[in-house]
Amino acid sequence: MAKNDITFYYFDLRARGEISRLILACGGKNYKDIRFNFEQWPEYKPKMILGQCPVLELENGLQLPQSLAVARYLARENNLAGKNNLESAQIDAVIDTQLDTYNKFLPQFFEEDETKKKEEMEKLLSVNMPILVENLQKLRQAYSGKNSKYFVGDSLTWADLFVFDSIQQLLHGLPGAKEKYADQFKEYLDPVTSDARLKEYLKSRPDFKVI
Ligand SMILES: N[C@@H](CCC(=O)N[C@@H](CS)C(=O)NCC(=O)O)C(=O)O
C-alpha cells in the first residue's frame, strides 16, 4: 500500500460507512480502511474533526466528515456521480428517497426502550417499506435509460450503490423485511452484485455486525 493513500475511518459496521467503501471499491484505488469497534472508539474520537465518524482523510491530512458529503465527493472522483448536473440531481433524489426510510431505521439500533423500538420497526415494515417500494419504482421508471438496469441513465452510479447498501441493511436488520420484500428489491441488487469491479470486495468484506 502506498504511503500517501487516502484513509477512511469508521466502525467495523456497514451503517453509515459502507456506501463510501463500495464507491472506493468500485473506483479501484488503494485506500486505508481503518475499522474499529466501540471499545477502540475513544482512542479515535479526539482525532476526528467533529468527534464523529465516518471521516475521509486525504493524502495531505485534510479530514472530511459527514457520510454523504464523503460519499458524494468519492462518487465524483470516481465517475459515479452522473454525466451532467441533471443526472447528479436525479441521483440525489434517489438517495434522498432511500434516506426517508433509512434515517428512520438506523436510530432504532440505539433505541433503549424495547417497546418503542418494536413499534417503530413494525411501522417501518408495514408503512414505510411499501412507500419506499413504490417511490423507488417511480424514480427508476422516470430516470433509468432505455433498456438500462441502472437507476439513472445507462451506467452504474452511486445511486445504485446507495440503494443496494441501504436495502441490504434493511433486509438484514428489519425483522420480517427479508420475507416480505426481498423479491421486490432483487432487480436493484443484481446490477451491483454482478458488477465486475465490486466482485472481489463483496466476496471479501466483513459480514454484518448488527448492521
Ligand atoms: N450526520 C453524520 C452522523 C455521524 C454519526 O452520527 N456518526 C456516529 C456513528 S454512525 C458516531 O460517530 N458516533 C460516535 C460518537 O458520536 O461518539 C454523518 O452522516 O456522518
Side-chain angles (χ1 to χ4, degrees):
M1 192 178 286
K3 198 169 162 223
N4 288 331
D5 286 339
I6 57 175
T7 309
F8 184 69
Y9 295 93
Y10 193 57
F11 288 107
D12 189 14
L13 297 172
R14 297 194 187 173
R16 291 190 198 277
E18 192 65 9
I19 179 59
S20 287
R21 296 192 190 110
L22 287 167
I23 295 167
L24 283 159
C26 211
K29 295 190 189 112
N30 283 334
Y31 74 104
K32 291 183 202 132
D33 187 15
I34 307 290
R35 296 168 182 252
F36 31 81
N37 59 34
F38 292 115
E39 286 74 46
Q40 293 165 316
W41 172 236
E43 175 197 329
Y44 287 94
K45 187 174 172 78
K47 297 180 191 151
M48 302 290 107
I49 184 165
L50 299 182
Q52 286 185 325
C53 58
V55 161
L56 181 73
E57 190 170 82
L58 303 184
E59 292 90 333
N60 63 5
L62 185 125
Q63 289 191 351
L64 274 178
Q66 296 293 354
S67 52
L68 294 181
V70 170
R72 192 170 283 111
Y73 166 76
L74 289 170
R76 288 194 195 110
E77 288 289 296
N78 290 285
N79 299 321
L80 293 166
K83 294 192 176 74
N84 52 48
N85 193 21
L86 183 59
E87 278 199 6
S88 298
Q90 291 170 322
I91 290 167
D92 285 344
V94 172
I95 289 165
D96 285 350
T97 299
Q98 184 70 46
L99 280 171
D100 285 346
T101 300
Y102 184 71
N103 280 341
K104 292 190 174 79
F105 165 73
L106 194 65
Q108 300 316 317
F109 291 91
F110 305 96
E111 179 56 68
E112 287 173 0
D113 181 335
E114 285 301 324
T115 313
K116 202 166 160 210
K117 178 172 173 166
K118 193 164 176 277
E119 270 170 30
E120 289 300 320
M121 288 294 209
E122 281 171 8
K123 189 171 164 217
L124 270 161
L125 189 72
S126 59
V127 179
N128 300 99
M129 289 295 276
I131 295 172
L132 178 65
V133 170
E134 201 183 317
N135 287 350
L136 287 179
Q137 269 168 5
K138 285 180 186 162
L139 295 184
R140 171 92 181 270
Q141 235 169 31
Y143 299 161
S144 186
K146 197 164 179 271
N147 300 324
S148 165
K149 58 185 177 180
Y150 303 108
F151 257 98
V152 176
D154 53 14
S155 58
L156 185 99
T157 68
W158 78 289
D160 300 288
L161 298 178
F162 191 86
V163 169
F164 169 83
D165 175 43
S166 176
I167 293 294
Q168 282 199 329
Q169 291 188 41
L170 282 158
L171 294 181
H172 176 80
L174 179 63
K178 204 170 192 164
E179 297 72 19
K180 221 168 160 185
Y181 295 105
D183 288 349
Q184 301 182 59
F185 289 125
K186 193 175 177 301
E187 63 176 318
Y188 305 148
L189 306 193
D190 287 349
V192 175
T193 315
S194 62
D195 192 296
R197 294 167 291 183
L198 284 160
K199 279 230 153 92
E200 197 46 51
Y201 177 71
L202 293 180
K203 215 166 60 191
S204 62
R205 68 176 170 169
D207 204 355
F208 279 107
K209 308 213 174 51
V210 194
I211 40 170

